[in-house]
Amino acid sequence: MHPYEKLTCNGLMKTLENESEEYEFVKKGFLKGMGFMQHVTNITSIHKNNVSSNSTRQARLQSFHIFSKAVSIKNEGDAKVRGAWYGGSLDQLIDILSFGFTRCNINIHDHNDDDSHHGIGISLFSANFSIDSAMSTVADENGLRHVLLCRVIVGKFERVAADSKQSQPSCNEYDTGVDDTLAPRKHIIWTAFMNSYIHPDYILSFNYKNIKDPEIFGTLRPRSEYVSFPNLVAKVSKYLKPSQMCLLLKSYRVYQEKKITREIWIKKMRRIVGDKLLHSVIADKSSGDVQPL
């Protein structure tokens, strides 16, 4: 069954490109949050959760509104409902739409020494950082990837340290957790509230494409065979686990922030990707020849 058929069979409606303001709103938000990857990202469809398709989904929406109101009263009139992204396989996202987050693995990933999680709960990425959710996706048999756009009751949040075992608010003052209170990338919704504070609205499907315009990513010229980092990510995404993709993005982000040297970053990237795969990508002339690795 094609992914789009699977989506419509599970209570989603396709929003029409060029005919829907909703489509353009979700599309622009996703691409903006993809940062340096937006030029190699191709959105193929956006499907909307059809809440009226069954009574269970209607009840979940009503519950979300009730909790929104309760958190709003608690916090002097502001529940801080925000958009947030969640990435996974298509089957995982459909499962969430059907049964909520109950059957999800709660912050259980293939962590290694370079990766971390923040507390024990459901982690979603802020609206401006859809790229983080994209790195958590798994390609289906058609090469498509899928992310879930949700409404999330943020309320009053507290910082949760990396690798924390915290599983609930530290006190009644707080509702949710974040990785950084000043500029949150990650929202942590505690297990007790995961099906009350999160409402899934859309599934966005996309894939990665190659580009060959050397002006898009700057003017660095190669001395031999090189590949742009966005094209590298697009190509290796078929072979790496979501946890490895997250590590790859994290290493590049640290390098961009000039917290590590280019040499250290390349060593990290080689360790994550592996020399065999890296060499095969660099040798592929269709990758483009923009930013030297």
Side-chain angles (χ1 to χ4, degrees), residues 144-162:
L144 295 177
R145 297 173 178 277
H146 312 273
V147 291
L148 195 62
L149 177 58
C150 305
R151 276 175 289 169
V152 178
I153 301 171
V154 174
K156 189 168 184 178
F157 52 75
E158 61 181 315
R159 181 179 178 276
V160 180

Side-chain angles (χ1 to χ4, degrees), residues 10 60 86 89-108 121-122 191 194-195:
N10 283 276
R60 288 202 192 100
Y86 184 91
S89 69
L90 180 59
D91 287 339
Q92 285 174 327
L93 302 189
I94 289 176
D95 205 50
I96 289 169
L97 285 165
S98 300
F99 305 105
F101 287 87
T102 305
R103 303 203 297 193
C104 289
N105 289 331
I106 309 302
N107 276 343
I108 300 175
I122 297 294
T191 307
M194 61 187 179
N195 290 321

Side-chain angles (χ1 to χ4, degrees), residues 108-124:
I108 300 175
H109 301 292
D110 301 323
H111 293 294
N112 61 30
D113 292 339
D114 294 319
D115 200 10
S116 61
H117 60 270
H118 297 258
I120 301 172
I122 297 294
S123 293
L124 300 96

Side-chain angles (χ1 to χ4, degrees), residues 74-92:
K74 172 180 173 290
N75 294 306
E76 300 179 348
D78 190 0
K80 289 188 173 65
V81 176
R82 302 285 186 264
W85 301 95
Y86 184 91
S89 69
L90 180 59
D91 287 339
Q92 285 174 327

Side-chain angles (χ1 to χ4, degrees), residues 112 114 240-241 243-252 265-275 277:
N112 61 30
D114 294 319
L240 300 183
K241 298 178 182 179
S243 57
Q244 292 173 302
M245 292 295 292
C246 290
L247 286 177
L248 189 59
L249 174 62
K250 183 178 179 180
S251 73
Y252 186 62
W265 169 58
I266 291 175
K267 288 180 181 178
K268 285 179 174 289
M269 183 179 59
R270 289 177 61 186
R271 190 164 63 247
I272 296 166
V273 177
D275 284 346
L277 177 57

